[in-house]
Amino acid sequence: MIVRIIGGHGGVSPGYRATSYLIDGKLLIDAGSVASGIQIPEQILIDNILISHSHLDHISDLAFLADNCFGQKGRPFEIHTVQNVKNSIMTHLLNDVIWPDFTKLPSASNPTLHFNELESEKPVKIGDYTVTPVPVNHDGPGHGFIIEKGDSCIVFTQDTGPTDRIWEIAKTKKNLKAIFSEVSFPNKMMQIALDSKHHTPSTMVEEIKKMPEEVPIFLGHLKPNFQDQLFKEIDMMGNDRISVLGSDDTSYIF
């Protein structure tokens, strides 16, 4: 699997894009920056979109992706998420008030966006991938994804605070190649991180103890205004398994 970090940050500012990971150019995880981060011909090639939760930095570019690719694909973007997240998106974003309802445009029989319901911990075949959504400790309601293709498996857990179940399931996977998780706030903002269900470097030290051993860890969702401090605090963790997603539009092969 080729994982392209279109946007790996926990906020938006020049040079910092919100969460969007693209696998093999076809499977998108979250839509925080897909429309602004890649060219329209690349956007059109996306087949399936996983939405982890309904917070704006993970869904905002669904609006602009649909607008950019409207009438050009010949088939809809297939969006996969749990029912509560779909309901939030339809109620608060694609409601013909904030943005047109692209599940009915160009027509109800030929929409730009089509939703498919995921069930927690129930694996589903999506294109070339087997995807297992697992609840994590984040509002929205938050889910992480365990994605398998051939002899490769990757875990994605953005956004989440300290959590357990996804690591229990991940430990049953013998082909796990990478873990993508998050550190949003510096240690001095521990209470804010806990209240908003995110990680600091100090809580990530404890989280790593729950993870499968020896698997590379990629930490993203750094808040742009705290990135320099987070770089220092993550470095002080002294864990050579960790890579920090400090630059967007980078790719990894697993």
Side-chain angles (χ1 to χ4, degrees), residues 7-68:
H9 287 88
V12 177
S13 189
Y16 302 89
R17 298 182 191 144
T19 305
S20 283
Y21 296 166
L22 185 60
I23 301 179
D24 299 332
K26 296 180 180 180
L27 176 64
L28 183 71
I29 303 176
D30 285 334
S33 59
V34 60
S36 56
I38 62 175
Q39 297 297 320
I40 291 175
E42 296 175 295
Q43 297 172 32
I44 292 172
L45 295 177
I46 295 170
D47 293 324
N48 294 283
I49 302 171
L50 303 174
I51 300 294
S52 63
H53 64 297
S54 59
H55 286 166
L56 189 60
D57 59 326
H58 295 255
I59 68 166
S60 60
D61 267 24
L62 276 179
F64 304 109
L65 178 70
D67 197 43
N68 287 345

Side-chain angles (χ1 to χ4, degrees), residues 18-205:
T19 305
S20 283
Y21 296 166
L22 185 60
I23 301 179
D24 299 332
K26 296 180 180 180
L27 176 64
L28 183 71
I29 303 176
D30 285 334
S33 59
V34 60
S36 56
I38 62 175
Q39 297 297 320
I40 291 175
E42 296 175 295
Q43 297 172 32
I44 292 172
L45 295 177
I46 295 170
D47 293 324
N48 294 283
I49 302 171
L50 303 174
I51 300 294
S52 63
H53 64 297
S54 59
H55 286 166
L56 189 60
D57 59 326
H58 295 255
I59 68 166
S60 60
D61 267 24
L62 276 179
F64 304 109
L65 178 70
D67 197 43
N68 287 345
C69 302
F70 172 77
Q72 297 190 54
K73 280 179 62 66
R75 63 187 186 280
F77 293 104
E78 297 291 344
I79 302 171
H80 307 266
T81 194
V82 297
Q83 186 65 43
N84 285 349
V85 172
K86 176 191 173 181
N87 292 345
S88 295
I89 292 171
M90 296 307 301
T91 300
H92 302 293
L93 180 63
L94 303 176
N95 57 7
D96 289 325
V97 177
I98 300 298
W99 204 250
D101 179 0
F102 278 97
T103 68
K104 298 187 293 189
L105 295 171
S107 67
S109 61
N110 181 34
T112 305
L113 305 175
H114 177 257
F115 280 88
N116 303 270
E117 183 179 353
L118 296 177
E119 296 182 29
S120 297
E121 298 192 25
K122 183 177 180 180
V124 60
K125 189 73 173 175
I126 299 175
D128 296 329
Y129 311 90
T130 298
V131 178
T132 304
V134 183
V136 294
N137 179 25
H138 193 74
D139 294 327
H143 280 71
F145 299 110
I146 298 175
I147 299 177
E148 300 171 83
K149 176 191 173 189
D151 61 354
S152 292
C153 176
I154 303 174
V155 175
F156 296 86
T157 65
Q158 298 188 353
D159 302 5
T160 184
T163 197
D164 294 306
R165 183 59 179 156
I166 197 165
W167 308 128
E168 295 169 359
I169 296 176
K171 285 180 177 178
T172 70
K173 304 297 182 182
K174 300 186 180 192
N175 54 350
L176 186 59
K177 306 294 186 182
I179 293 167
F180 286 81
S181 194
E182 67 115 295
V183 171
S184 297
F185 293 100
N187 290 326
K188 68 181 180 181
M189 302 185 72
M190 172 73 74
Q191 193 58 52
I192 291 175
L194 293 174
D195 290 345
S196 60
K197 300 178 181 177
H198 286 292
H199 273 294
T200 67
S202 61
T203 61
M204 181 51 62
V205 169

